[in-house]
Amino acid sequence: MLLSISLILIIGMSAGWICKKIKLPSLIGMLATGIILGPYVLNLLDASILGISAELRKIALIIILTRAGLGLDLSGLKKLGRPAVMMCFVPASFELIGIILLAPRLMGLTVLESAILGAVLAAVSPAVVVPRMVKLMDEGYGVKEGIPQLILAGASVDDVYVIVLFSTFIGMMQGERASVINFINIPVSIFLGIAIGLLLGISLAYYFQRVHIRDTSKVLIILSISFLLVVIEDSLATPITFSALIAIMFIGIGLQRKRAVVSKRLSLKYGKLWVAAEVFLFVLVGATVNINYIGKVGLKAIVLIIGALVFRMLGVFVCLIGTSLNGKERLFAMMAYTPKATVQAAIGGIPLSLRFACGDTILTVAVLAIVLTAPLGAFAIDLSYKKVLKK
């Protein structure tokens, strides 16, 4: 495992640095490192580290979501109001509808199989989007208009909505009826996550005020609580649950509201943690990509993915109707809401593992969506934000 860790860090950081030097997002180099080192090319990564790959990716996601919460300025988001709520589910719904319309014609899937594929593809990737929106907030681009806050908050909730739909469609494929409680759980899990996160964040703010400990110890306490929230969410067998990832982000927001000075210092600490976490996240996402599948899908899958993204961008456009954003800012939001990676890597193989007839097709399209949209979406954000957003 130690050899694998050293290869991930050394080669991943080097490839990222090379990409930056040639004006490409470092993410591309890290993804390429994962693909090359992974089990489908050179197979240099130890099976033990691949076995805990999902947990390591989740840790990286926890780090960047907490940092996002610590730095999230809600004032710009409040001004947008209705669009902020709509961004949580409208673009994903548009993309899902687009895939249900296109996949039967292009891929020969049934409507229910297309719905499962749509639920896999419709999630935006927090792993790609969140760190870039945090960077925009740090540099002050689009913050007054609330653009990075809008995309960051929407991306965090978008995944909860899509994963609940995915679970429902999988149950229907296995012969279960769609339960009303599953759909009720979507808003409930979001609001419970917000409430739990704010409560914990405010409690920690008072605790840190009374008990003086080093900032490093504070980071360890917050990380430990975040890990516990994820474990509790995963172990809940009740019909109604809460979203741990949303709760984790709102811990940072609650702490920031009560102890802004401490939250700034902790945000810097989390920024240093992210240096290593980012490398692990994207290299391990790359390691899940089976490039052998890509050769099988052909042009139809590419057309399907492009068509789905057009529907998604249309959904973002609908959300922003009536806002004060200009044309360039709206176009930026539409582009920034397209990258796929984390959720597709996590759930793309489930239909195949359940031996659904459509499983191979769904996994193949999910892999292709990662390869196409993660680097292109990151590139579009990195290349355009200084030109189209106000500092």
Side-chain angles (χ1 to χ4, degrees), residues 54-235:
E55 285 76 13
L56 291 173
R57 295 201 306 268
K58 192 165 281 188
I59 290 170
L61 202 53
I62 286 168
I63 289 169
I64 194 60
L65 281 173
T66 308
R67 189 184 171 211
L70 290 166
L72 184 60
D73 178 14
L74 292 177
S75 58
L77 197 58
K78 284 177 183 175
K79 284 193 293 185
L80 289 165
R82 172 192 55 82
V85 177
M86 291 178 68
M87 285 284 280
C88 297
F89 64 91
V90 171
S93 298
F94 268 63
E95 185 169 4
L96 180 63
I97 291 167
I99 291 170
I100 290 173
L101 292 173
L102 295 172
R105 293 174 174 81
L106 291 170
M107 310 301 293
L109 301 179
T110 66
V111 171
L112 184 53
E113 288 171 342
S114 301
I116 294 172
L117 175 59
V120 170
L121 292 187
V124 71
S125 173
V128 179
V129 172
V130 172
R132 276 161 178 77
M133 296 307 109
V134 171
K135 182 183 176 185
L136 263 63
M137 291 191 298
D138 289 345
E139 295 182 13
Y141 283 94
V143 174
K144 190 177 178 182
E145 294 77 18
I147 295 166
Q149 301 98 304
L150 174 75
I151 296 168
L152 195 154
S156 304
V157 178
D158 173 279
D159 285 2
V160 178
Y161 171 62
V162 168
I163 288 169
V164 171
L165 289 179
F166 175 75
S167 302
T168 303
F169 295 144
I170 287 287
M172 291 170 67
M173 194 78 171
Q174 292 174 317
E176 301 172 15
R177 290 187 176 183
S179 171
V180 175
I181 200 75
N182 288 343
F183 292 98
I184 293 173
N185 188 43
I186 295 171
V188 172
S189 67
I190 292 166
F191 286 118
L192 279 176
I194 292 171
I196 291 168
L198 285 175
L199 180 63
L200 287 169
I202 292 167
S203 301
L204 285 169
Y206 284 118
Y207 176 74
F208 294 153
Q209 191 173 10
R210 290 174 178 272
V211 181
H212 296 284
I213 54 176
R214 294 176 63 182
D215 287 343
T216 304
S217 299
K218 292 171 185 172
V219 168
L220 292 174
I221 289 169
I222 297 170
L223 277 176
S224 300
I225 291 170
S226 301
F227 296 161
L228 281 173
L229 287 172
V230 172
V231 171
I232 291 167
E233 184 195 18
D234 290 343
S235 61

Side-chain angles (χ1 to χ4, degrees), residues 8 22 51 73 75 83 103 121 145 185 241 303 331 336 355 363 370:
I8 288 170
I22 58 173
D73 178 14
S75 58
L121 292 187
E145 294 77 18
N185 188 43
T241 58
V303 172
L331 181 61
R355 299 187 178 182
L363 179 59
I370 294 171

Side-chain angles (χ1 to χ4, degrees), residues 12-80:
M13 287 191 295
S14 300
W17 179 81
I18 290 167
C19 284
K20 271 188 174 180
K21 283 293 180 182
I22 58 173
K23 307 297 183 185
L24 292 173
S26 58
L27 158 72
I28 296 175
M30 295 173 196
L31 280 173
T33 300
I35 293 170
I36 293 165
L37 295 179
Y40 305 107
V41 183
L42 297 181
N43 195 23
L44 293 178
L45 297 181
D46 195 277
S48 55
I49 203 164
L50 293 174
I52 59 169
S53 171
E55 285 76 13
L56 291 173
R57 295 201 306 268
K58 192 165 281 188
I59 290 170
L61 202 53
I62 286 168
I63 289 169
I64 194 60
L65 281 173
T66 308
R67 189 184 171 211
L70 290 166
L72 184 60
D73 178 14
L74 292 177
S75 58
L77 197 58
K78 284 177 183 175
K79 284 193 293 185
L80 289 165

Side-chain angles (χ1 to χ4, degrees), residues 344-366:
Q344 289 71 29
I347 66 175
I350 291 177
L352 183 61
S353 67
L354 294 172
R355 299 187 178 182
F356 292 170
C358 59
D360 195 39
T361 301
I362 289 174
L363 179 59
T364 303
V365 178

